[in-house]
Amino acid sequence: MLIHLPMLSAAASETLPRFTLGRVFTDWGIDPIPFVVTVWATGLYLLGVAALRRRGDRWPVGRTLAFVGLGMGSFLVATSSGLGRYDTTLLSVHMVQHMVLSMVVPLALALGAPVTLALRTLPAAPRRWLLALLHSRVAKVLAFPPLAFVLYVASPWALYFSSWYDASLGSAFVHQMMHVHLVLVGTLFFWPLMGIDPVPGRVGYPFRVLLTIMTLPFHAFLGVTIMGQTTLIGGEHYLALREGPMGAWLPPALDDQHLAGGILWASGDLVGVLFFAVLFTQWVRQSMREASREDRRLDLAERREAGLPGAGGSRPGA
């Protein structure tokens, strides 16, 4: 197992072995900013779960597994495994990382309901601060569904068709902050749609489904655009790599870019199916709860009309 700290364009001469699927799981390193974020977020979440258990309250295991296992676990794998090791060497590897960070991680974090956990475990003063933040104008603006949608679909275009991506290849700090940015933008968009926290921007399930459907053409169009490009994204960086020792195994840069576009197109549709499954399940559960409440209300009304005990009123003639 190799331990590394990221060295980007300045160290483009660093020689990496041929990329294989096995290296995703065996070649690990540490990107400082994502690693610190992972440790703090996981630690605070688990402290909250432990605080609930100490006072005898239950917290669904599924939420813990979603946040800690799938959410922060995927974030760590995407930034510290072989995906992180090779994300500046192959654009196709970076694109896998991109989709994990922008779609899988936000969905899993939302299903973990960390805001609800915080509201149930924080002391009075921090809890008031959190509630004030949730009800602030800034939070409402950022979580406004049309704005969050625009930010979510526009960010990848800005990343790959501006100097932003080149800057991420030339600076370790910019590169790591790009990872955090992908998660944050995905969270702004998907948290109100998929999550169960009391966050601003919550809309009805039909509109949630519509917004999710609307993201699919943008991923597909971006993927097809990248596949059809004859101009290299990050061309100076990737061509320099092919002039060194890794040129013996690196595929042609344009072929790798076409593969990256295909990964973006296909994985966007695949993860979209996962989102639909989650939304459908949540919608069905909410409908069942509403039907159960309505049944209880009608049953109570009938008992009141019949003057039966336990109807919440007095019997006739009492």
Side-chain angles (χ1 to χ4, degrees):
M1 179 181 295
L2 298 177
I3 302 298
H4 77 288
L5 291 177
M7 300 293 288
L8 303 181
S9 281
S13 59
E14 180 187 8
T15 303
L16 297 175
R18 180 184 297 273
F19 177 77
T20 63
L21 181 61
R23 291 200 170 275
V24 173
F25 306 100
T26 60
D27 201 348
W28 289 77
I30 295 177
D31 277 1
I33 294 175
F35 181 75
V36 170
V37 170
T38 300
V39 171
W40 273 95
T42 301
L44 290 174
Y45 190 94
L46 293 177
L47 283 175
V49 174
L52 281 181
R53 290 181 177 176
R54 282 196 301 269
R55 71 187 191 199
D57 292 338
R58 294 181 64 254
W59 183 254
V61 174
R63 293 184 185 178
T64 303
L65 292 176
F67 187 93
V68 176
L70 183 58
M72 298 313 303
S74 295
F75 183 67
L76 183 65
V77 168
T79 56
S80 299
S81 72
L83 292 179
R85 175 74 161 164
Y86 285 83
D87 66 344
T88 59
T89 303
L90 290 164
L91 183 62
S92 54
V93 173
H94 160 80
M95 201 60 72
V96 174
Q97 181 191 64
H98 174 127
M99 298 307 291
V100 172
L101 293 175
S102 65
M103 299 188 79
V104 176
V105 173
L107 172 61
L109 297 183
L111 296 178
V115 175
T116 300
L117 179 63
L119 291 174
R120 292 181 60 182
T121 56
L122 285 174
R127 186 175 185 274
R128 286 196 299 269
W129 300 337
L130 178 57
L131 286 172
L133 176 62
L134 292 174
H135 292 93
S136 68
R137 182 169 298 181
V138 173
K140 292 178 181 178
V141 169
L142 289 176
F144 182 55
L147 176 60
F149 174 79
V150 170
L151 289 174
Y152 183 72
V153 300
S155 287
W157 289 89
L159 173 62
Y160 297 117
F161 294 101
S162 72
S163 59
W164 182 6
Y165 188 69
D166 287 324
S168 75
L169 294 172
S171 166
F173 176 77
V174 174
H175 186 73
Q176 293 169 44
M177 291 306 298
M178 176 189 67
H179 296 157
V180 176
H181 166 85
L182 291 174
V183 175
L184 289 179
V185 171
T187 297
L188 280 178
F189 179 64
F190 286 113
W191 212 304
L193 302 185
M194 308 287 178
I196 51 183
D197 280 325
V199 296
R202 301 301 293 270
V203 293
Y205 277 100
F207 192 52
R208 297 186 197 186
V209 172
L210 176 62
L211 285 175
T212 304
I213 291 175
M214 289 172 62
T215 64
L216 299 183
F218 285 95
H219 277 118
F221 185 44
L222 177 58
V224 170
T225 301
I226 292 175
M227 290 175 68
Q229 281 281 104
T230 56
T231 302
L232 289 174
I233 298 172
E236 182 178 348
H237 172 85
Y238 290 118
L239 290 177
L241 292 180
R242 283 157 178 80
E243 293 176 358
M246 288 188 293
W249 65 265
L250 283 171
L254 197 57
D255 290 350
D256 185 56
Q257 180 167 303
H258 293 165
L259 175 59
I263 289 172
L264 177 60
W265 179 8
S267 60
D269 289 344
L270 182 62
V271 179
V273 172
L274 174 62
F275 285 158
F276 285 131
V278 172
L279 270 179
F280 180 76
T281 302
Q282 292 178 341
W283 197 349
V284 168
R285 288 179 176 177
Q286 184 193 54
S287 299
M288 292 176 64
R289 288 194 296 267
E290 291 176 351
S292 179
R293 285 195 296 267
E294 182 64 12
D295 288 343
R296 289 195 299 269
R297 187 188 68 79
L298 293 174
D299 183 64
L300 181 60
E302 291 176 358
R303 294 175 69 85
R304 284 174 176 168
E305 291 178 1
L308 296 175
S314 300
R315 296 185 61 176

